[in-house]
């Protein structure tokens, strides 16, 4: 057990808990029917039980709910759970009720009468758990009602929603910070599957957590081999068809960037396998049907849009393919996490090229209008309270641009809309908005750099999430660790010029190790004998052969953090000979060259 989080001094503030560790085990069996804790659950439960505030980051399915439910029961009284989705609430309440635990929920899907009955039970102290939607706290009198009988624990589920850095930013979550103080002194546990260190900081600050303990665990998936391949958009469908033509690589989920891409690709795949498209443009009935058939194994593959969140929990998915660069590492991790839930070897293939970054940049510009546009809107509100329609008419913007800009202003406190009237807000919206937009860009940049960096893919992701208990070992199965296991990438032996370049690189590093890639290029290839892209290919080959290690670094210039890569000598670089297993990727420029030659022949 992690002693650090369970110091003796905490036991004195332990108000209502069983003293002996075995009591938690007993509760685990008697209330939940589980014979043992999963990795880290016990440490978290003990910290919460001891009254500490906690930020818990574990992947989906790791068992986060238990980390508030068990200490909630151990502490006695009522645990208040704030949850963003009605379906999640209903599901949790039903599960708890099935275990004989008194749980209720209050959300917009319930009648006033039912909600009132739940409040009554809460005030009578008859509930172990009360689940509420965050927007409830806006209902006059509701926070006061809660405060009349304070909860003994507060759990904020899907806590990334609170952070404007998170990919699911929810306005109502933002208000939690204002309401939680009156529910104290209960400890608060914030739970999420997708929080980077920036999001964790935001969660802790927004909820005003008190010296929170952070638990960030379980991000390494040992049975998913990630493979990232550069292919132009026109080449990707062919790769997908070839890869999935092998029955051992199905069932599969393919993520396509747009609905029409998903439809087209599904059509192409349908010539050889049973497949269906799945996206938000289809009726609920069709989607339900597709999902059911996939779960039952009647279709072998789903081609889905990334924008559409799927509740698919199918254990034997063998392959997840992305046919375009995702916008964030968080999203990517979540999506590939649907592979290999049964623990058997699985593959995650990502097809991308520089054009993907341009497309993302285009959408970013569209979804996050220039600050000046927002600023112009607020100028019309200098003195007046305007009907929304009048404001729109004054602004003279295309309706969708106006709608997006207004939405951003509302989120960041630049304007307040109430009963169809708009007035100027008091918030310092400008810097908040610009920070959010910069953050989106940064996330995209991190994703691009992740895809470009020839470093163990799993290790790279685990480091991104700041996993605390990770081994730090390369995964041994991704395209960088095990090139021969690749299903889409092809490699070739290095040409004489590439061998010569590799030799010069290793010599230069023996002289001065850890050079930045740009510096290395300037130092060694000032004669123009190797362009930057070719250098990256040679470095990739050396990294895969374990002769060099590439690591991220950054420097700060004018307040802006600028990331770059450094190259270090690694295991097999010490002799004077080049590693014999050095392989260069069969990049698409070269393949197009071959195709052209064949076409001419
Ligand atoms: P998360 O919120 O992290 O996505 P859940 O809390 O919904 O995950 O748990 C996922 C599943 O794991 C649930 O079916 C839950 O009952 C099960 N589970 C959690 N902890 C344990 C445990 N210690 N032993 C066995 N099953 C567990
Ligand atoms: Mg959960």
């Amino acid at each position: 057990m992690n002693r650090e989080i369970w110091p003796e001094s905490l036991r004195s503030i332990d108000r209502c808990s069983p003293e002996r560790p075995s009591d938690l085990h007993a509760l685990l069996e008697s209330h939940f029917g589980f014979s043992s804790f999963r990795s880290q659950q016990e440490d978290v439960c003990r910290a919460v039980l001891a009254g500490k505030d906690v930020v818990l980051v574990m992947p989906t399915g790791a068992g986060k709910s238990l980390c508030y439910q068990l200490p909630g029961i151990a502490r006695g009284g009522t645990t208040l759970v704030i949850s963003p989705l009605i379906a999640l609430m209903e599901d949790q309440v039903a599960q708890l009720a099935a275990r004989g635990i008194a749980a209720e929920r209050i959300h917009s899907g319930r009648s006033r009468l039912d909600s009132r009955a739940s409040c009554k039970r809460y005030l009578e102290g008859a509930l172990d758990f009360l689940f509420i939607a965050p927007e409830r706290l806006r209902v006059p009198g509701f926070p006061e009602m809660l405060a009349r009988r304070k909860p003994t624990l507060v759990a904020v589920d899907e806590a990334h929603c609170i952070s404007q850095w998170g990919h699911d930013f929810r306005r109502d979550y933002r208000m939690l910070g204002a309401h939680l103080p009156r529910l104290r002194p209960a400890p608060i546990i914030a739970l999420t599957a997708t929080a980077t260190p920036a999001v964790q900081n935001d969660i802790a600050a927004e909820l005003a957590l008190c010296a929170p303990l952070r638990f960030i665990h379980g991000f390494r998936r040992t049975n998913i081999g990630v493979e990232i391949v550069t292919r132009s958009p026109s080449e990707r469908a062919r790769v997908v068809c070839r890869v999935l033509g092998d029955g051992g690589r199905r069932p599969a989920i393919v993520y396509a960037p747009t609905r029409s891409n998903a439809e087209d690709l599904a059509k192409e795949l349908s010539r050889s396998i049973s497949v269906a498209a799945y996206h938000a443009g289809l009726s609920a009935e069709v989607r339900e049907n597709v999902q059911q058939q996939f779960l039952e194994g009647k279709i072998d593959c789903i081609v889905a849009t990334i924008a559409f969140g799927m509740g698919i929990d199918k254990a034997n998915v063998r392959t997840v393919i992305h046919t375009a660069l995702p916008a964030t590492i968080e999203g990517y991790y979540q999506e590939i996490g649907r592979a290999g839930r049964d623990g058997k070897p699985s593959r995650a293939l990502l097809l991308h090229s520089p054009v993907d970054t341009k497309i993302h940049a285009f959408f970013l510009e569209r979804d996050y209008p220039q600050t000046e546009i927002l600023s112009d809107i607020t100028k019309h509100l200098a003195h007046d309270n305007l009907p929304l329609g009048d404001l729109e008419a004054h602004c003279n913007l295309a309706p969708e641009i106006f709608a997006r800009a207004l939405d951003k202003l509302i989120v960041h406190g630049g304007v307040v809309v109430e009963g169809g009237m708009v007035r100027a807000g008091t918030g310092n919206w400008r810097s908040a908005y610009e920070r959010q937009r910069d953050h989106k860009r940064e996330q995209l940049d991190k994703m691009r750099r992740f895809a470009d960096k020839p470093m163990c893919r799993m290790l790279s992701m685990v480091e991104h999430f700041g996993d605390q208990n990770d081994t730090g070992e390369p995964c041994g199965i991704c395209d960088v660790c095990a090139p021969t296991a690749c299903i889409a990438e092809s490699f070739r032996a290095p040409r004489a010029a590439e061998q010569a370049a590799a030799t010069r690189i290793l010599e230069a590093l023996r002289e001065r190790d850890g050079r930045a890639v740009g510096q290395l290029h300037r130092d060694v290839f000032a004669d123009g004998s190797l362009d930057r892209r070719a250098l990256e290919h040679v470095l990739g080959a050396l990294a895969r052969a374990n002769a060099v290690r590439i690591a991220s670094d950054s420097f700060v210039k004018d307040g802006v953090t600028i990331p770059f890569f450094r190259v270090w000598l690694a295991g097999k670089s010490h002799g004077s000979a080049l590693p014999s297993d050095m392989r260069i990727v069969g990049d698409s420029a070269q393949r197009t060259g071959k195709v052209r030659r064949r076409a001419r022949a």
Side-chain angles (χ1 to χ4, degrees), residues 64-65 88 92 157-158:
K64 288 185 289 298
S65 318
L88 277 181
Q92 295 285 351
D157 206 1
E158 311 292 338

Side-chain angles (χ1 to χ4, degrees), residues 28 34-38 41 58-66 92 95 99 157-158 193:
L28 182 69
F34 299 146
S35 53
S36 60
F37 283 106
R38 284 192 185 152
Q41 280 178 328
M58 284 192 203
T60 304
K64 288 185 289 298
S65 318
L66 187 88
Q92 295 285 351
Q95 278 185 30
R99 293 178 164 133
D157 206 1
E158 311 292 338

Side-chain angles (χ1 to χ4, degrees), residues 195-215:
T196 55
V199 173
Q200 290 162 28
N201 291 340
D202 218 19
I203 290 171
E206 283 294 323
L207 297 178
L209 298 186
C210 181
L213 294 173
R214 298 187 190 203
F215 295 87

Side-chain angles (χ1 to χ4, degrees), residues 219-235:
F219 281 92
R220 177 177 290 256
R221 291 286 304 271
T222 53
N223 63 328
I224 303 179
V226 176
E227 178 172 340
I228 303 183
V229 176
T230 308
R231 289 289 178 274
S232 71
S234 64
E235 294 175 291

Side-chain angles (χ1 to χ4, degrees), residues 418-456:
E418 242 166 25
M421 298 294 284
V422 199
R423 62 173 191 274
T426 50
N428 178 14
W429 62 269
R430 189 185 291 266
S431 64
Y433 174 64
E434 287 179 343
R435 280 205 316 160
Q436 190 192 21
R437 203 178 45 190
D438 291 348
H439 179 71
K440 292 271 167 201
R441 282 204 197 106
E442 205 177 290
Q443 279 186 307
L444 179 59
D445 205 49
K446 283 192 172 140
M447 183 69 215
R448 185 182 57 74
R449 294 169 57 75
F450 162 68
D452 283 344
K453 180 167 58 176
M455 166 183 164
C456 170

